[in-house]
Amino acid sequence: MQLICQTYAEPLLKFLMRLSQGRPHTAEDLLQETLLRAWRHIDQLPGEVETLGPWLYTVARRVAIDAARARQIRPAEIALSDTDVEPVAGDLSDQVVSAHVIRDGLAQLTPEHREVLVELYFRQRSAAEAAARLGIATGTVKSRAYYALRALGAVVGRAD
């Protein structure tokens, strides 16, 4: 059996690489199955190692066909590299710190600026809706929002 492996392993592997679309692990598995079948039938094989080539290539081709059919029947396989990566929960610490910094910054704004930002960003109202709710013009809401964001940026910048 050792002489069979030494003689035919490399050529069979090249043959099986073509049949397995260049996937080395699949070709190696097919080669192992081919040589295992040869070992199981060693007593029925001809004595001359040189004459085993056609039989081994036929077995290798049939093993490859059987493996391809088996893959078609079962669901798609997931590559090992996909299962090695586990989803990691996002680190929320940055968001928590940012929320505290923004909350502290809002406390330092004028009440007019703060209420405009609360309406626009926290309650997700449009400028027209915020204007109606606050009883001021839409242009005033936009102007206050602009200056409020600049003031908040300045306050947050100092917190760093």
Side-chain angles (χ1 to χ4, degrees):
M1 187 66 198
Q2 186 175 1
L3 185 58
I4 294 172
C5 289
Q6 288 173 349
T7 307
Y8 290 104
E10 190 174 330
L12 279 172
L13 184 60
K14 288 179 183 178
F15 174 71
L16 291 168
M17 281 288 286
R18 287 192 307 267
L19 294 180
S20 65
Q21 288 88 29
R23 290 179 287 191
H25 296 297
T26 303
E28 289 169 0
D29 290 343
L30 297 174
L31 174 64
Q32 184 176 6
E33 180 62 28
T34 301
L35 294 175
L36 180 63
R37 289 186 185 184
W39 180 74
R40 287 182 183 155
H41 297 96
I42 195 77
D43 55 334
Q44 300 167 357
L45 296 176
E48 294 293 319
V49 173
E50 293 77 23
T51 61
L52 290 178
W55 184 85
L56 285 170
Y57 280 97
T58 300
V59 170
R61 186 176 55 81
R62 288 180 181 166
V63 166
I65 291 170
D66 290 346
R69 286 179 182 161
R71 275 193 303 277
Q72 288 175 352
I73 291 173
R74 61 179 186 246
E77 297 176 1
I78 298 174
L80 289 177
S81 61
D82 293 342
T83 59
D84 292 343
V85 179
E86 295 182 16
V88 178
D91 183 16
L92 299 177
S93 62
D94 288 337
Q95 291 177 351
V96 171
V97 170
S98 296
H100 283 292
V101 168
I102 297 295
R103 188 187 70 217
D104 292 344
L106 284 172
Q108 296 179 32
L109 296 179
T110 64
E112 294 83 16
H113 286 160
R114 184 175 38 254
E115 65 187 4
V116 166
L117 291 182
V118 167
E119 291 297 321
L120 292 175
Y121 294 101
F122 293 106
R123 295 191 178 130
Q124 297 182 348
R125 291 195 170 100
S126 68
E129 292 170 337
R133 178 116 171 124
L134 298 172
I136 57 178
T138 303
T140 304
V141 169
K142 292 178 182 180
S143 175
R144 284 185 185 173
Y146 173 78
Y147 288 108
L149 288 174
R150 287 186 66 187
L152 183 61
V155 169
V156 170
R158 284 196 317 247
D160 287 345

